[in-house]
């Protein structure tokens, strides 16, 4: 199921064409034709494209499908929603994955304000 969701993001027509959701119909057609020409010439720069979930492999068939999907206003709208993510991942330095400064979680206990004070114990949480 997770792979299916990642595949949908990776195969989003806007990412396949390397365009943002604000692209006009003319820009979509122009970029699609350009990419088809580049793929026909087997240019390496056209073989992959950036997505928020990692690079995708671009084929002529994917480009044609992307162009067709974006010609249909209803399908385009659905793809616009998912293409709002920036296709380039943030730099490693920009990621805040240092969790060392967080305080340890509060041990479960009897909180008189809780509607069911024994809930954590009933779910298997133990005090340290």
């Amino acid at each position: 199921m997770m792979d299916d969701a990642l595949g949908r993001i990776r195969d989003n027509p806007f990412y396949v064409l390397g365009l943002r959701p604000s692209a006009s119909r003319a820009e979509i057609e122009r970029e699609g034709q350009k990419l088809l020409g580049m793929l026909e010439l087997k240019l390496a720069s056209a073989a992959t494209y950036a997505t928020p979930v990692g690079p995708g492999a671009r084929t002529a068939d994917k480009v044609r499908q992307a162009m067709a999907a974006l010609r249909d206003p209803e399908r385009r709208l659905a793809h616009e929603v998912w293409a709002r993510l920036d296709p380039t991942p943030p730099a490693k330095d920009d990621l805040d994955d240092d969790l060392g400064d967080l305080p340890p979680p509060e041990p479960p206990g009897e909180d008189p304000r809780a509607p069911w004070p024994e809930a954590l114990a009933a779910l298997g949480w133990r005090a340290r």
Side-chain angles (χ1 to χ4, degrees):
M1 178 131 133
M2 181 63 129
D3 290 338
D4 186 41
L6 294 177
R8 287 184 186 183
I9 293 172
R10 185 174 289 117
D11 294 338
N12 186 294
F14 287 102
Y15 297 135
V16 171
L17 297 176
L19 296 171
R20 301 303 296 155
S22 59
S24 69
R25 185 177 177 128
E27 290 172 315
I28 291 168
E29 294 296 325
R30 185 172 36 249
E31 189 64 23
Q33 292 303 321
K34 180 180 96 174
L35 287 170
L36 288 172
M38 292 171 71
L39 289 168
E40 182 70 26
L41 295 171
K42 299 185 184 345
L43 297 178
S45 61
T48 60
Y49 57 95
T51 76
V53 295
R58 185 183 285 132
T59 64
D61 190 46
K62 261 190 186 179
V63 171
R64 286 187 196 95
Q65 288 177 6
M67 292 170 65
L70 297 180
R71 286 181 188 125
D72 179 346
E74 288 180 25
R75 289 174 63 196
R76 177 184 171 138
L77 184 59
H79 292 301
E80 283 180 3
V81 171
W82 291 103
R84 298 281 179 206
L85 298 171
D86 187 3
T88 55
K92 180 69 174 150
D93 294 343
D94 293 345
L95 297 175
D96 185 18
D97 59 352
D98 178 20
L99 299 178
D101 296 340
L102 293 177
E106 292 292 325
E110 301 296 323
D111 183 359
R113 297 172 292 153
W116 183 25
E118 302 84 24
L120 293 175
L123 292 172
W125 287 86
R126 297 183 306 244
R128 289 187 182 190

